[in-house]
Amino acid sequence: MNQEIVEGLKNWFVRHVRRFRSGNPNWQRNIALKEDHTKRVCKEILDIGKKLGLSSKDLRLAEIIALFHDIGRFEQYARYRTFVDHHSVDHAELGIKILQKNGVLNRLDQSIRNLILRTILHHNRPTLPEQETETCLFFTKLLRDADKLDIWRVVTDYYRHKDEKRNSAIELGLPDTPGISHDVYDDLIQGRIVDMTHLKNLNDFKLLQVGWIYDINFAPTFQSVRNRDYLGMIRDVLPKSEKIERIFSVVESYLDDQIRGGKGE
Ligand SMILES: [Fe+2]
């Protein structure tokens, strides 16, 4: 994939997103949220990729994967007015259909095209795929790390300015009730990502985002989580309780271990 092809794909993305613009402020805000997210995931993936020493060819591929990973989001919102997959459609699968239907990747070799589509398909799964090629697994890990770095940015930004712009598209429509669910606590203490079915309120949802740390793959990503203090910012918007303190002590020592034991940076 040369730079000219990359530019062509970026142009297609811009034209595609333009079709979903709207004069309705709430609608427009949600479309812009995903458009901006995409741009920042492209930056994050290049940043991690460079720190890992990828070749320019692999960096171009990584950027395109990031560019298209949420391409299904725009159509999903237009059709269902939500970003909640289980209330609408799997946005990764929808994205792949859109890319195929429009022949967006037709100029690429079949093997690269498949790699991009499979990586997109894996990006929103609860866990990494088990039966995949080494290359696809690598790019899937890269995308998932870059994606999470930016979602942490989106949610921490949102929590800090919540009074100004409450957005149910971000909060998944969960109630803002006190306390946390025991199953969520259990997941995190045992070093597992939080099972979506355990979520009962907004605190659980914030803890789900804390648990993403267990799903991070590369040392530079762990380092960025530390530098940007994402976990601290989520902790600030959770109630003060013994359980929550215990969760953060487990999660923070996990992060410490990963940074100490990691190789990158
Ligand atoms: Fe996504």
Side-chain angles (χ1 to χ4, degrees):
M1 192 186 326
N2 59 34
Q3 197 55 37
E4 186 218 326
I5 294 183
V6 171
E7 294 308 319
L9 295 173
K10 286 183 182 173
N11 288 338
W12 184 86
F13 177 88
V14 170
R15 287 197 307 274
H16 178 74
V17 174
R18 205 177 284 153
R19 296 177 38 221
F20 296 92
R21 283 195 190 149
S22 160
N24 174 319
N26 192 43
W27 173 303
Q28 184 51 38
R29 183 172 57 148
N30 283 312
I31 295 299
L33 188 80
K34 291 301 173 188
E35 190 179 1
D36 297 344
H37 165 68
T38 296
K39 286 184 194 150
R40 287 188 314 256
V41 175
C42 289
K43 282 210 186 93
E44 298 285 6
I45 209 166
L46 289 174
D47 181 52
I48 303 169
K50 282 177 194 159
K51 286 174 178 162
L52 293 174
L54 296 197
S55 66
S56 6
K57 184 169 142 260
D58 282 348
L59 288 172
R60 282 195 292 272
L61 176 56
E63 189 179 9
I64 292 310
I65 285 169
L67 180 70
F68 290 136
H69 84 284
D70 264 354
I71 198 71
R73 285 301 196 186
F74 306 100
E75 184 80 37
Q76 177 185 37
Y77 192 79
R79 281 196 212 164
Y80 305 98
R81 308 283 191 279
T82 180
F83 294 130
V84 183
D85 285 10
H86 65 267
H87 290 166
S88 55
V89 66
D90 183 308
H91 73 276
E93 282 171 19
L94 179 59
I96 287 167
K97 281 187 199 142
I98 289 167
L99 292 174
Q100 286 175 324
K101 193 178 80 191
N102 294 285
V104 181
L105 305 175
N106 282 359
R107 285 182 69 194
L108 305 176
D109 293 345
Q110 174 105 43
S111 63
I112 298 289
R113 202 186 310 161
N114 279 335
L115 177 64
I116 295 171
L117 296 177
R118 291 203 314 275
T119 305
I120 294 173
L121 190 66
H122 301 316
H123 93 271
N124 64 338
R125 296 289 178 268
T127 53
L128 289 168
E130 277 169 17
Q131 299 208 314
E132 255 309 347
T133 61
E134 201 69 20
T135 314
C136 183
L137 192 60
F138 175 79
F139 282 99
T140 299
K141 288 177 175 174
L142 206 58
L143 175 60
R144 289 168 66 101
D145 274 26
D147 197 18
K148 287 192 180 69
L149 277 183
D150 191 62
I151 306 174
W152 268 317
R153 200 204 60 80
V154 171
V155 295
T156 51
D157 203 46
Y158 173 67
Y159 296 143
R160 283 182 300 163
H161 301 99
K162 191 172 162 194
D163 300 338
E164 297 155 37
K165 41 164 191 176
R166 193 152 183 195
N167 187 344
S168 60
I170 290 186
E171 294 178 355
L172 299 182
L174 287 162
D176 195 357
T177 50
I180 65 170
S181 299
H182 185 74
D183 288 341
V184 171
Y185 172 81
D186 236 32
D187 287 336
L188 294 173
I189 294 292
Q190 315 263 347
R192 292 190 304 257
I193 56 161
V194 172
D195 186 328
M196 285 287 283
T197 63
H198 294 159
L199 302 185
K200 297 207 174 61
N201 66 15
L202 213 50
N203 290 333
D204 292 344
F205 182 57
K206 291 169 183 169
L207 288 170
L208 166 93
Q209 291 147 7
V210 169
W212 286 341
I213 198 70
Y214 297 132
D215 199 23
I216 291 301
N217 302 289
F218 297 112
T221 319
F222 284 113
Q223 193 62 57
S224 295
V225 173
R226 162 61 52 77
N227 295 346
R228 302 175 195 182
D229 193 27
Y230 284 145
L231 298 181
M233 286 192 268
I234 301 179
R235 187 186 190 151
D236 285 345
V237 293
L238 278 161
K240 313 282 166 258
S241 77
E242 214 172 288
K243 272 187 162 180
I244 290 190
E245 258 171 49
R246 226 171 293 149
I247 288 172
F248 275 88
S249 110
V250 169
V251 163
E252 270 157 19
S253 48
Y254 177 80
L255 177 57
D256 284 343
D257 289 350
Q258 294 303 314
I259 288 175
R260 260 201 304 271
K263 290 170 228 65
E265 291 225 321

